[in-house]
Amino acid sequence: AQSVTQLGSHVSVSEGALVLLRCNYSSSVPPYLFWYVQYPNQGLQLLLKYTSAATLVKGINGFEAEFKKSETSFHLTKPSAHMRDAAEYFCAVSEGNNDMRFGAGTRLTVKP
Amino acid sequence: EPEVTQTPSHQVTQMGQEVILRCVPISNHLYFYWYRQILGQKVEFLVSFYNNEISEKSEIFDDQFSVERPDGSNFTLKIRSTKLEDSAMYFCASMDYNQETQYFGPGTRLLVL
């Protein structure tokens, strides 16, 4: 079954600094990969997804992620952090119409 | 833009009571899901539903749980006899025919006392 590992349960950056949230996956078939963001007391919002097209995927709010098959990774980046980016970020993997498996989440803190 | 909606947003119940959580998926979607998130933990898959039947379920989805699509729009999760450990945020999601992206509702926060 597919699975996801997110390295680092907490990441803290300064405003304007690079954001890098790590995600590694395991899947028996070519996966679909997703990043979701969860703001406090809210639901899950799709940031971006990889579904076997371009390996560099651009999402909302200036985030992007690169699918690297050789490294089984799908790390999320943003060149310059903003205070409003503070949230919980979840990487997820799916094998099509099956269930989606989520990572444990990474809480991003942005310091002024 | 179409959205998945869920009601109620919050529910408090006594242990042993039955609860029904309701979801209205995006109208042309074909695949439906329930997930839960215990406070401070990761999102966990409960069940997927397609063509009016369960297509997959996790070990969490025991006999206390059931799902139904009673009409063309609603998708419900019933917990027959709630336990304290059922306290969590429950998310509904739906996906269209291309089987790419699941869209999540805002969740129902269930508190079992």
Side-chain angles (χ1 to χ4, degrees):
Chain A
Q2 69 273 36
S3 67
V4 161
T5 302
Q6 289 183 242
L7 295 174
S9 58
H10 290 87
V11 170
S12 181
V13 300
S14 297
E15 193 172 18
L18 171 72
V19 175
L20 171 61
L21 306 183
R22 298 177 187 274
C23 172
N24 288 89
Y25 71 90
S26 170
S27 177
S28 56
V29 301
Y32 293 164
L33 293 160
F34 306 83
W35 277 98
Y36 286 87
V37 60
Q38 185 179 35
Y39 298 101
N41 300 313
Q42 294 188 29
L44 296 167
Q45 181 181 6
L46 180 68
L47 266 182
L48 50 78
K49 64 181 181 182
Y50 166 78
T51 55
S52 76
T55 56
L56 181 62
V57 181
K58 293 187 185 299
I60 61 171
N61 302 339
F63 284 92
E64 61 183 38
E66 186 171 10
F67 171 68
K68 291 187 177 180
K69 185 178 178 181
S70 60
E71 299 177 9
T72 61
S73 70
F74 190 58
H75 302 329
L76 181 71
T77 60
K78 181 173 180 178
S80 176
H82 194 278
M83 298 296 291
R84 62 174 173 260
D85 295 327
E88 187 92 15
Y89 291 80
F90 292 94
C91 182
V93 62
S94 168
E95 294 179 346
N97 63 329
N98 293 338
D99 61 277
M100 184 177 294
R101 299 295 171 125
F102 285 81
T106 298
R107 183 171 300 277
L108 176 66
T109 302
V110 182
K111 298 175 292 187
Chain B
E1 187 174 330
E3 293 181 332
V4 177
T5 59
Q6 290 184 242
T7 54
S9 58
H10 293 77
Q11 178 144 7
V12 180
T13 190
Q14 296 289 325
M15 189 171 59
Q17 294 296 304
E18 175 184 286
V19 296
I20 297 176
L21 309 183
R22 290 183 167 79
C23 169
V24 179
I26 295 173
S27 63
N28 62 342
H29 283 191
L30 301 177
Y31 299 88
F32 312 109
Y33 306 83
W34 282 102
Y35 293 82
R36 79 171 185 192
Q37 184 183 28
I38 294 171
L39 187 64
Q41 299 186 25
K42 68 177 178 181
V43 178
E44 301 172 291
F45 168 76
L46 291 178
V47 66
S48 59
F49 192 87
Y50 170 72
N51 200 25
N52 286 318
E53 60 183 24
I54 291 174
S55 48
E56 192 168 351
K57 59 183 181 180
S58 72
E59 59 278 4
I60 302 168
F61 194 88
D62 61 22
D63 292 342
Q64 297 282 65
F65 291 90
S66 63
V67 290
E68 211 176 27
R69 189 157 160 80
D71 53 40
S73 59
N74 290 283
F75 179 52
T76 62
L77 174 69
K78 181 191 292 186
I79 308 175
R80 189 172 306 117
S81 177
T82 50
K83 304 187 286 286
L84 296 177
E85 53 265 38
D86 293 328
S87 295
M89 179 76 94
Y90 288 81
F91 292 106
C92 173
S94 70
M95 182 168 69
D96 66 15
Y97 69 94
N98 69 10
Q99 301 175 40
E100 284 190 354
T101 305
Q102 294 182 28
Y103 292 91
F104 285 76
T108 292
R109 186 172 295 282
L110 176 66
L111 178 60
V112 182
L113 302 176

